[in-house]
Amino acid sequence: MQKLPIRHPKAPRRRHLALTAVSGIAAGCTVLCPGPTAFAGPAPATAPAPTAPAAPSAAPTEDAAKDDASVRTVSDGDTLWSMAEEVYGSGARWPDLYRASRDGIERAARSHGLPSGDGDGHWIFAGTAIRTPAPAAKTPATSTPATKTPATSDSHLARFADQVARSGYASQSGSEAVFDLDRRYCEGTLFSGMWPNPQSPYIVTNLPEVPGQTANTNPPVTWRLREDEAVVLIGTTPPPEAYFSFDLTMVRGSLHTGPVLWPAVGDPVNRGTVKTAGATPFGQPFALVMTGHERTRAEVHEMLAASGLGDAINDATIPPAMFRLGLGEDADQFLLGIRTAAPEPGFEKALDAYRAAPPLQILRVRPKGISADQTKPVYAPAPLPVPRLRTAGTGATELDLNPSLQKLRQRIIDAHPGFEAHDVAMERGFEQSYPGLQSNKVIDPPTPGIGALSNDADDPLSPSFSLPDGSFVVAYGANHVDTGQASYSSISLYADKEAAVSVAARNHRDLRGTARDYLPDGPDADKLYAWTFSRAGDAGPTGPHVTELPSAGTDFCAQYGAARPVDMSSMQAVARAYMQPETLTHPALSSLLLDRLLVFTPKSKSK
């Protein structure tokens, strides 16, 4: 009997808790605001089950047969997601179907020789009866002078808002939305696109300012933090994918004019480290607390525990020893960005929906004082220490693949006799955050500085190279996921050394097996890749492992209705390697076999 392809990674079992989150609208939005954020519907609790395998029809299970009017029978090709779309108009409601029919779903799995007990509906089979309960009644909205929380059913957010009010804290709500760096560059809002990953659009936090504070430099995407204040994110983690993370960074400088100092603040919370209220890292309720104050953190933890999220609290410490907290002109500003990359097969629509209306709510909370001036701390200093970073590297290496890589290089050259090949080396692109912070290494393309934004990544970078029409470039190297060095890896091309806007990208799933085009019998071929990005048309390479690039004369910004110039003939490549599975942080750069480029231009006819 056919198994379904998706299995959720194991994590310590916790209680399942429901969460309905909404996205608020930040006050005082300016030109740096993302597009409007719609109110999110009920947030997914775990990822939807894949398509049902064919199976003989089965009698309705007893838990589903209680009400024939509220039963659907699984047919070939159904998923819980698709059934929830049919019943409720939203695939994100699939956990309601699973919970109502858990016993029958798990019995069907056992009857087909599959294990059960995970509590997440990994498999569904044709013929299984699924109950479709009516939507739960909504409770009245809870509000206080400082906080307004939309009506929800069984909402951790509403409970937290109540706890904030009871604890004598003030709060302000913000919002989450995708922030398109390419678009913002073209519209003139950003001084550079700064090498964004086109396969992983960033979800960015917007927060309102505290009344009376010094205005933020990049409102509302960057925010200052009062010494005894906390920023709290409550919501649902993304659906199954190769990598996601919540990256807290510091931004010192203007994103409009540049340059900027942009280091990570500690390690991100990622899919390997996140604490959730469920048995998997995906689609589960969670909370993230960002503060530098020990007493505030303890009290916010208590509020979250009373809200039902005690086992799902994650911390991102902003250590006052390294960063300047406060609401005055000299205080540092911070930015929370969320990366989502490479959905598991069958979860592409779920991830699109997550990005379109993030089921997340961001709040800034702070103790109230007797003074009307909200910019002054209420609590005495209680600085949190600098957290230990996760240690990179295991001693494992890809360097034994170098002989096979050299053979691959030669085979690529031999396959294109009508073209001249030029090597372009990749090198360390970005300094690590804390050394870069101390050295004041600003990002100012083509100078990369510390713009990598994440301690989870290595981002080797190429120098700029010319790629005129009629030419092509072959990127090749180790597939860092298949060698075990990363959970997500990719190769991306960018145009214009100063604009650094994204043109094309392929990730480890796209690249898998592509080296066999040149090494059909190579024993290491499945650990290598070779992908072509071409402007040569029919005169150059064709096939499934070729990406056709826009012409060097293309007006890049026209797609956004803008007229800012981009030199499309000048290219640069970034190779990403995120989160080594064993260490849950970036691979040790010394262990990686660096990606390479071969630029091919037509040979002159006289040769």
Side-chain angles (χ1 to χ4, degrees):
M1 189 62 62
Q2 181 186 7
K3 293 185 182 180
L4 293 186
I6 302 300
R7 287 280 299 174
H8 300 315
K10 293 290 185 181
R13 182 169 296 282
R14 303 180 181 92
R15 293 179 298 129
H16 286 266
L17 299 171
L19 171 65
T20 302
V22 298
S23 297
I25 305 298
C29 243
T30 65
V31 291
L32 283 178
C33 292
T37 303
F39 281 87
T46 56
T51 305
S57 297
T61 56
E62 52 201 63
D63 53 349
K66 295 175 182 176
D67 181 0
D68 290 342
S70 63
V71 172
R72 296 288 190 279
T73 301
V74 177
S75 301
D76 291 352
D78 278 343
T79 68
L80 290 184
W81 184 276
S82 67
M83 296 177 79
E85 284 185 326
E86 174 192 345
V87 175
Y88 302 118
S90 170
R93 292 289 305 275
W94 76 267
D96 293 347
L97 303 183
Y98 175 72
R99 284 189 291 268
S101 310
R102 183 195 311 265
D103 291 346
I105 290 171
E106 297 299 339
R107 278 199 300 273
R110 289 194 297 272
S111 73
H112 289 89
L114 298 173
S116 62
D118 286 337
D120 290 306
H122 290 169
W123 307 280
I124 60 172
F125 288 86
T128 302
I130 303 296
R131 293 190 68 198
T132 58
K138 293 186 176 181
T139 58
T142 302
S143 65
T144 69
T147 272
K148 293 183 180 179
T149 304
T152 62
S153 175
D154 192 22
S155 171
H156 301 297
L157 178 61
R159 287 182 237 150
F160 180 72
D162 183 62
Q163 289 295 320
V164 168
R166 289 171 182 267
S167 301
Y169 270 59
S171 72
Q172 293 173 276
S173 298
S175 64
E176 302 282 336
V178 166
F179 190 79
D180 186 336
L181 276 72
D182 288 336
R183 174 185 288 277
R184 299 297 171 179
Y185 171 78
C186 286
E187 292 174 345
T189 300
L190 298 180
F191 78 104
S192 171
M194 293 173 284
W195 308 280
N197 185 347
Q199 294 187 325
S200 177
Y202 309 115
I203 299 171
V204 172
T205 291
N206 294 325
L207 273 181
E209 296 176 350
V210 173
Q213 73 160 78
T214 298
N216 296 326
T217 307
N218 308 291
V221 298
T222 66
W223 32 271
R224 292 179 165 91
L225 191 71
R226 201 174 83 178
E227 291 89 339
D228 59 350
E229 194 174 22
V231 169
V232 183
L233 182 71
I234 296 175
T236 304
T237 53
E241 55 190 322
Y243 178 80
F244 70 74
S245 65
F246 300 87
D247 287 84
L248 179 63
T249 61
M250 183 207 79
V251 181
R252 191 179 294 166
S254 169
L255 292 169
H256 177 62
T257 62
V260 291
L261 185 69
W262 201 343
V265 179
D267 285 321
V269 173
N270 63 35
R271 59 158 281 180
T273 64
V274 67
K275 298 175 184 177
T276 71
T280 85
F282 304 117
Q284 297 289 339
F286 80 106
L288 176 64
V289 180
M290 293 157 275
T291 186
H293 197 276
E294 185 175 20
R295 177 178 172 182
T296 298
R297 185 170 75 178
E299 292 178 349
V300 170
H301 275 220
E302 290 177 2
M303 298 178 211
L304 288 168
S307 305
L309 288 170
D311 293 333
I313 301 172
N314 303 270
D315 287 309
T317 299
I318 306 177
M322 297 185 64
F323 300 100
R324 305 175 304 199
L325 297 181
L327 299 175
E329 184 176 1
D330 293 334
D332 286 330
Q333 297 174 62
F334 302 93
L335 183 151
L336 180 66
I338 302 169
R339 284 178 165 81
T340 56
E344 297 290 348
F347 296 94
E348 294 84 359
K349 288 185 178 179
L351 183 55
D352 287 345
Y354 188 94
R355 291 168 174 166
L360 304 163
Q361 179 64 59
I362 192 84
L363 306 98
R364 60 187 314 158
V365 299
R366 56 189 175 275
K368 291 180 181 178
I370 59 174
S371 170
D373 186 356
Q374 297 188 50
T375 67
K376 302 298 182 185
V378 173
Y379 291 162
L384 287 164
V386 179
R388 296 179 64 178
L389 296 177
R390 296 189 285 270
T391 303
T394 63
T397 181
E398 298 173 342
L399 298 179
D400 286 333
L401 294 172
N402 189 49
S404 295
L405 188 72
Q406 296 306 318
K407 183 181 292 186
L408 176 60
R409 172 187 176 275
Q410 191 58 51
R411 293 283 182 87
I412 295 170
I413 293 172
D414 293 344
H416 306 295
F419 291 82
E420 196 78 45
H422 306 275
D423 288 291
V424 177
M426 303 286 281
E427 57 191 27
R428 181 174 185 160
F430 302 90
E431 180 56 274
Q432 293 182 2
S433 285
Y434 286 171
L437 174 62
Q438 296 172 75
S439 302
N440 198 44
K441 286 190 176 294
V442 298
I443 180 171
D444 190 14
T447 303
I450 46 173
L453 303 183
S454 177
N455 280 331
D456 272 359
D458 287 326
D459 299 85
L461 178 71
S462 80
S464 295
F465 58 91
S466 177
L467 195 69
D469 289 340
S471 62
F472 60 93
V473 58
V474 180
Y476 67 104
N479 187 324
H480 304 303
V481 172
D482 289 338
T483 65
Q485 288 289 342
S487 297
Y488 167 83
S489 62
S490 65
I491 183 73
S492 304
L493 287 192
Y494 299 87
D496 194 320
K497 63 183 180 181
E498 295 181 356
V501 292
S502 59
V503 176
R506 286 292 179 267
N507 65 44
H508 61 276
R509 293 203 185 101
D510 306 322
L511 302 175
R512 186 165 288 146
T514 56
R516 290 208 173 274
D517 292 351
Y518 304 97
L519 298 173
D521 301 319
D524 296 325
D526 288 336
K527 294 181 180 179
L528 302 173
Y529 80 89
W531 194 277
T532 300
F533 299 92
S534 178
R535 283 186 172 140
D538 293 339
T542 58
H545 303 146
V546 177
T547 296
E548 294 291 337
L549 297 179
S551 164
T554 299
D555 182 352
F556 179 86
C557 288
Q559 63 185 307
Y560 301 113
R564 196 170 187 181
V566 172
D567 181 2
M568 291 287 284
S569 68
S570 175
M571 306 297 290
Q572 204 168 13
V574 175
R576 291 175 168 86
Y578 271 82
M579 199 188 80
Q580 189 178 49
E582 291 179 68
T583 63
L584 304 180
T585 189
H586 65 277
L589 189 63
S590 59
S591 70
L592 296 183
L593 190 58
L594 296 181
D595 301 62
R596 317 279 178 95
L597 304 174
L598 281 166
V599 178
F600 288 88
T601 54
K603 288 182 177 178
S604 64
K605 295 182 179 180
S606 61
K607 290 187 178 181

PDB file of all heavy atoms in Angstrom, residues 474-485:
ATOM      1  N   VAL A 474      27.398  28.830 -15.970  1.00  0.00           N
ATOM      2  CA  VAL A 474      27.068  27.568 -15.314  1.00  0.00           C
ATOM      3  C   VAL A 474      27.564  27.642 -13.874  1.00  0.00           C
ATOM      4  O   VAL A 474      28.763  27.821 -13.628  1.00  0.00           O
ATOM      5  CB  VAL A 474      27.696  26.366 -16.026  1.00  0.00           C
ATOM      6  CG1 VAL A 474      27.317  25.062 -15.304  1.00  0.00           C
ATOM      7  CG2 VAL A 474      27.239  26.304 -17.481  1.00  0.00           C
ATOM      8  N   ALA A 475      26.636  27.548 -12.939  1.00  0.00           N
ATOM      9  CA  ALA A 475      26.990  27.440 -11.527  1.00  0.00           C
ATOM     10  C   ALA A 475      27.108  25.954 -11.195  1.00  0.00           C
ATOM     11  O   ALA A 475      26.265  25.154 -11.610  1.00  0.00           O
ATOM     12  CB  ALA A 475      25.933  28.106 -10.663  1.00  0.00           C
ATOM     13  N   TYR A 476      28.131  25.594 -10.453  1.00  0.00           N
ATOM     14  CA  TYR A 476      28.308  24.179 -10.103  1.00  0.00           C
ATOM     15  C   TYR A 476      28.981  24.089  -8.740  1.00  0.00           C
ATOM     16  O   TYR A 476      29.599  25.043  -8.264  1.00  0.00           O
ATOM     17  CB  TYR A 476      29.119  23.451 -11.176  1.00  0.00           C
ATOM     18  CG  TYR A 476      30.559  23.877 -11.308  1.00  0.00           C
ATOM     19  CD1 TYR A 476      31.596  23.084 -10.813  1.00  0.00           C
ATOM     20  CD2 TYR A 476      30.916  25.068 -11.941  1.00  0.00           C
ATOM     21  CE1 TYR A 476      32.931  23.464 -10.933  1.00  0.00           C
ATOM     22  CE2 TYR A 476      32.231  25.456 -12.074  1.00  0.00           C
ATOM     23  CZ  TYR A 476      33.242  24.650 -11.558  1.00  0.00           C
ATOM     24  OH  TYR A 476      34.560  25.031 -11.665  1.00  0.00           O
ATOM     25  N   GLY A 477      28.838  22.945  -8.119  1.00  0.00           N
ATOM     26  CA  GLY A 477      29.433  22.766  -6.800  1.00  0.00           C
ATOM     27  C   GLY A 477      28.794  21.628  -6.051  1.00  0.00           C
ATOM     28  O   GLY A 477      28.118  20.777  -6.639  1.00  0.00           O
ATOM     29  N   ALA A 478      28.987  21.612  -4.752  1.00  0.00           N
ATOM     30  CA  ALA A 478      28.380  20.606  -3.890  1.00  0.00           C
ATOM     31  C   ALA A 478      26.961  21.018  -3.550  1.00  0.00           C
ATOM     32  O   ALA A 478      26.695  22.189  -3.290  1.00  0.00           O
ATOM     33  CB  ALA A 478      29.201  20.435  -2.616  1.00  0.00           C
ATOM     34  N   ASN A 479      26.052  20.058  -3.574  1.00  0.00           N
ATOM     35  CA  ASN A 479      24.708  20.302  -3.061  1.00  0.00           C
ATOM     36  C   ASN A 479      24.795  20.150  -1.549  1.00  0.00           C
ATOM     37  O   ASN A 479      24.852  19.041  -1.015  1.00  0.00           O
ATOM     38  CB  ASN A 479      23.709  19.305  -3.659  1.00  0.00           C
ATOM     39  CG  ASN A 479      22.277  19.635  -3.281  1.00  0.00           C
ATOM     40  OD1 ASN A 479      22.001  20.096  -2.172  1.00  0.00           O
ATOM     41  ND2 ASN A 479      21.354  19.397  -4.204  1.00  0.00           N
ATOM     42  N   HIS A 480      24.829  21.264  -0.835  1.00  0.00           N
ATOM     43  CA  HIS A 480      25.163  21.250   0.588  1.00  0.00           C
ATOM     44  C   HIS A 480      24.130  20.515   1.443  1.00  0.00           C
ATOM     45  O   HIS A 480      24.466  20.056   2.537  1.00  0.00           O
ATOM     46  CB  HIS A 480      25.341  22.686   1.080  1.00  0.00           C
ATOM     47  CG  HIS A 480      26.358  23.471   0.324  1.00  0.00           C
ATOM     48  ND1 HIS A 480      27.673  23.068   0.196  1.00  0.00           N
ATOM     49  CD2 HIS A 480      26.260  24.638  -0.375  1.00  0.00           C
ATOM     50  CE1 HIS A 480      28.337  23.947  -0.530  1.00  0.00           C
ATOM     51  NE2 HIS A 480      27.504  24.905  -0.896  1.00  0.00           N
ATOM     52  N   VAL A 481      22.919  20.388   0.947  1.00  0.00           N
ATOM     53  CA  VAL A 481      21.926  19.590   1.671  1.00  0.00           C
ATOM     54  C   VAL A 481      22.227  18.110   1.514  1.00  0.00           C
ATOM     55  O   VAL A 481      22.196  17.339   2.485  1.00  0.00           O
ATOM     56  CB  VAL A 481      20.504  19.920   1.178  1.00  0.00           C
ATOM     57  CG1 VAL A 481      19.479  18.961   1.787  1.00  0.00           C
ATOM     58  CG2 VAL A 481      20.151  21.359   1.536  1.00  0.00           C
ATOM     59  N   ASP A 482      22.572  17.676   0.297  1.00  0.00           N
ATOM     60  CA  ASP A 482      22.830  16.256   0.066  1.00  0.00           C
ATOM     61  C   ASP A 482      24.145  15.792   0.689  1.00  0.00           C
ATOM     62  O   ASP A 482      24.345  14.585   0.878  1.00  0.00           O
ATOM     63  CB  ASP A 482      22.817  15.964  -1.437  1.00  0.00           C
ATOM     64  CG  ASP A 482      21.416  16.060  -2.014  1.00  0.00           C
ATOM     65  OD1 ASP A 482      20.450  15.932  -1.234  1.00  0.00           O
ATOM     66  OD2 ASP A 482      21.276  16.261  -3.227  1.00  0.00           O
ATOM     67  N   THR A 483      25.028  16.723   1.011  1.00  0.00           N
ATOM     68  CA  THR A 483      26.249  16.343   1.735  1.00  0.00           C
ATOM     69  C   THR A 483      26.044  16.371   3.251  1.00  0.00           C
ATOM     70  O   THR A 483      26.952  16.005   4.000  1.00  0.00           O
ATOM     71  CB  THR A 483      27.412  17.291   1.396  1.00  0.00           C
ATOM     72  OG1 THR A 483      27.104  18.608   1.867  1.00  0.00           O
ATOM     73  CG2 THR A 483      27.693  17.316  -0.104  1.00  0.00           C
ATOM     74  N   GLY A 484      24.887  16.843   3.711  1.00  0.00           N
ATOM     75  CA  GLY A 484      24.613  16.911   5.138  1.00  0.00           C
ATOM     76  C   GLY A 484      25.081  18.179   5.809  1.00  0.00           C
ATOM     77  O   GLY A 484      24.962  18.304   7.028  1.00  0.00           O
ATOM     78  N   GLN A 485      25.587  19.136   5.040  1.00  0.00           N
ATOM     79  CA  GLN A 485      26.104  20.362   5.637  1.00  0.00           C
ATOM     80  C   GLN A 485      25.031  21.426   5.856  1.00  0.00           C
ATOM     81  O   GLN A 485      25.266  22.401   6.568  1.00  0.00           O
ATOM     82  CB  GLN A 485      27.220  20.938   4.755  1.00  0.00           C
ATOM     83  CG  GLN A 485      28.511  20.154   4.789  1.00  0.00           C
ATOM     84  CD  GLN A 485      29.242  20.289   6.113  1.00  0.00           C
ATOM     85  OE1 GLN A 485      28.989  21.204   6.883  1.00  0.00           O
ATOM     86  NE2 GLN A 485      30.146  19.362   6.395  1.00  0.00           N
TER      87      GLN A 485
END
